Amino acid sequence: MDEYKERIRRRVDEILPELSDLSDSLWHNPEYNFKEYFACKSMSALLEKYGFEVETGIGGIETSVKAVYDSGKPGPNICMFGEFDAVPGMGHSCGHNIMCAISIGAGEGLHAVIDELGGKVTVYGCPAEEGGGGKIIMQENGAFKDVDVGMLLHSSCDTVVNDFSYSKTDLRVHFYGKKSHAATFPEEGISALTPILELFNIINSMRLELADRGKILGIIRDGGEEAIFIPDHCSAEFTIRSFDMKFKWELVERFLKICEHLAQITNTRFEYEYIALSYEDIRNNPVMEDLLAKNFTALGETVKPRDKEMGVGCTDMGNLTHEFPGLQSYVRVGPGRAHSPEFLASTGSPEGHKAIAVGAAAMAMTAVDILEDPAVLERIRKAFAEMKSKYER
């Protein structure tokens, strides 16, 4: 371990009690989408104490945080991303309290050496990952336009550097017909339920064709008022997912065409609406993954391959990895999958404090690898460009 990395490790150890206290305080005070006032204030206060220039309310979200330390010397802007919202009804069962502390620790660890290396370190506190798409809103409002490299470490049951996630789009579809008494005057009605039922039949028939390339999953939200009436309005909600963003959007377009044709066939009127921001597939930078894996190993962590047993979901960090070279990787906290009671217990235990120390040091050490050798940054940018050319819609 070189001198810079050893100084980072020592600095993270020095501030670990404060980072642990922050993580524990968030665990005891869970806050949800766009209401993370305590977390925003707590994160900002600690970063200000460490000498960062802190702004809140960036990117169009009141509870967001941006903290910058600029060495004043040429070099890239290395960004550490943290999250701090909880899972509705389940507290910090995804470990965002730990992730918030890790991002601060990584930022301050790099702060301890960046005056000699050059460049800039930025720590972001990102609200509303659990369904609110906080990073997407911030991205659309230009919050990340000056990011050169971005890293986020997620709490997990294992330490893993590579990742995959679903690209997903959620919609609500509406069909409108004509109401009539189903027993006495059925010929006067146009059922809005008929196209909904046929839509599910068509989707079920597509399962073999789609295989593991994508999924269209849905529920009927409104099937009519009473059985005695032919319904004039029915609706259903769908989530359309794939590990490939391009194929996901192809599925969305195909799905909407099916709905339009069903409306024509059944003499109904069709409308639709997006009911959430689209989360896109994570695209980790392979050069950054290799660097992080080596630093985890140097800190004594066992790095495991990513598998489906950890669970597969969606993350708004995926959208950011389409904009700049980045990664979402994982650090072991304790047993259990995210969003479970077992994992909730882990994120509020001393095991979480160890994860903060390891995760913060590993991220900051990876930043040192990038800042020490300009050729590393060029390799990262080349890998990002190759990914864009391969997967761009």
Side-chain angles (χ1 to χ4, degrees):
M1 192 177 296
D2 72 13
E3 177 195 352
Y4 292 127
K5 293 183 179 181
E6 181 58 32
R7 283 164 57 187
I8 284 170
R9 191 191 61 75
R10 289 200 302 268
R11 180 57 179 155
V12 170
D13 284 347
E14 287 173 0
I15 64 173
L16 184 58
E18 290 180 308
L19 299 176
S20 299
D21 286 347
L22 172 69
S23 176
D24 291 348
S25 68
L26 298 187
W27 192 90
H28 287 290
N29 296 277
E31 298 169 302
Y32 307 103
N33 283 355
F34 307 110
K35 302 293 183 183
E36 308 93 338
Y37 300 110
F38 176 79
C40 175
K41 182 178 179 181
S42 300
M43 184 180 193
S44 299
L46 198 51
L47 285 161
E48 286 177 348
K49 178 181 178 180
Y50 295 150
F52 284 75
E53 183 178 331
V54 180
E55 296 177 72
T56 60
I58 60 139
I61 303 178
E62 182 183 5
T63 52
S64 62
V65 178
K66 180 182 181 181
V68 180
Y69 181 80
D70 191 340
S71 70
K73 297 178 181 178
N77 182 17
I78 308 293
C79 299
M80 314 299 187
F81 287 84
E83 299 168 359
F84 42 49
D85 61 312
V87 180
M90 295 189 69
H92 277 291
S93 58
C94 205
H96 291 187
N97 57 312
I98 291 170
M99 295 162 63
C100 175
I102 286 174
S103 67
I104 298 171
E108 175 57 13
L110 184 57
H111 178 199
V113 299
I114 200 169
D115 282 338
E116 296 161 59
L117 292 167
K120 182 190 301 184
V121 56
T122 302
V123 180
Y124 284 100
C126 301
E129 190 277 335
E130 295 291 347
K135 295 186 197 65
I136 302 170
I137 297 170
M138 294 170 71
Q139 179 184 30
E140 291 175 346
N141 286 305
F144 309 129
K145 62 180 181 296
D146 60 347
V147 174
D148 288 304
V149 171
M151 292 181 276
L152 181 148
L153 270 188
H154 202 295
S155 310
S156 184
C157 56
D158 283 311
T159 297
V160 175
V161 296
N162 61 318
D163 198 15
F164 49 81
S165 69
Y166 285 115
S167 170
K168 67 106 175 177
T169 296
D170 297 340
L171 308 98
R172 183 180 294 119
V173 299
H174 301 268
F175 288 90
Y176 297 89
K178 183 180 178 183
K179 188 174 182 179
S180 71
H181 196 283
T184 309
F185 304 111
E187 70 280 2
E188 296 182 3
I190 301 174
S191 175
L193 184 58
T194 299
I196 293 279
L197 297 176
E198 290 306 316
L199 179 58
F200 277 92
N201 287 333
I202 292 170
I203 289 169
N204 285 335
S205 72
M206 293 168 62
R207 293 184 189 277
L208 182 62
E209 169 194 344
L210 294 179
D212 290 332
R213 293 187 66 203
K215 302 178 187 296
I216 304 176
L217 309 171
I219 59 168
I220 296 176
R221 179 60 68 191
D222 177 6
E225 298 173 4
E226 298 180 55
I228 198 60
F229 291 107
I230 289 178
D232 60 354
H233 170 255
C234 291
S235 66
E237 292 180 6
F238 292 87
T239 184
I240 301 177
R241 302 187 175 206
S242 174
F243 290 119
D244 181 327
M245 180 186 74
K246 183 178 179 181
F247 185 69
K248 186 279 303 279
W249 283 113
E250 289 174 3
L251 269 185
V252 170
E253 292 171 8
R254 183 176 176 186
F255 172 81
L256 293 174
K257 285 182 180 179
I258 292 169
C259 292
E260 290 166 358
H261 286 306
L262 283 170
Q264 293 174 353
I265 293 167
T266 58
N267 200 28
T268 56
R269 179 168 57 88
F270 166 63
E271 294 180 357
Y272 72 94
E273 58 186 309
Y274 294 106
I275 55 177
L277 294 170
S278 291
Y279 282 31
E280 304 302 358
D281 51 315
I282 195 88
R283 295 181 183 172
N284 275 7
N285 188 282
V287 178
M288 294 171 63
E289 285 182 340
D290 289 345
L291 296 172
L292 181 62
K294 290 174 182 176
N295 287 311
F296 268 136
T297 301
L299 291 166
E301 284 291 291
T302 299
V303 178
K304 296 186 178 181
R306 179 73 161 92
D307 58 36
K308 286 189 176 181
E309 292 304 310
M310 287 175 60
V312 183
C314 306
T315 173
D316 57 7
M317 188 65 188
N319 299 58
L320 271 55
T321 63
H322 294 219
E323 181 171 329
F324 52 75
L327 55 72
Q328 172 175 283
S329 298
Y330 298 86
V331 62
R332 175 178 168 78
V333 175
R337 293 190 184 123
H339 294 212
S340 70
E342 295 80 11
F343 198 67
L344 172 62
S346 295
T347 63
S349 74
E351 293 174 302
H353 302 165
K354 176 179 181 293
I356 294 168
V358 172
M363 276 216 293
M365 289 161 61
T366 301
V368 166
D369 291 325
I370 298 168
L371 293 173
E372 279 188 311
D373 186 355
V376 172
L377 182 58
E378 288 307 308
R379 285 168 46 216
I380 289 170
R381 287 172 170 165
K382 181 181 178 182
F384 179 71
E386 289 173 352
M387 177 276 291
K388 293 289 283 185
S389 64
K390 180 178 179 181
Y391 291 109
E392 196 69 30
R393 286 177 64 193

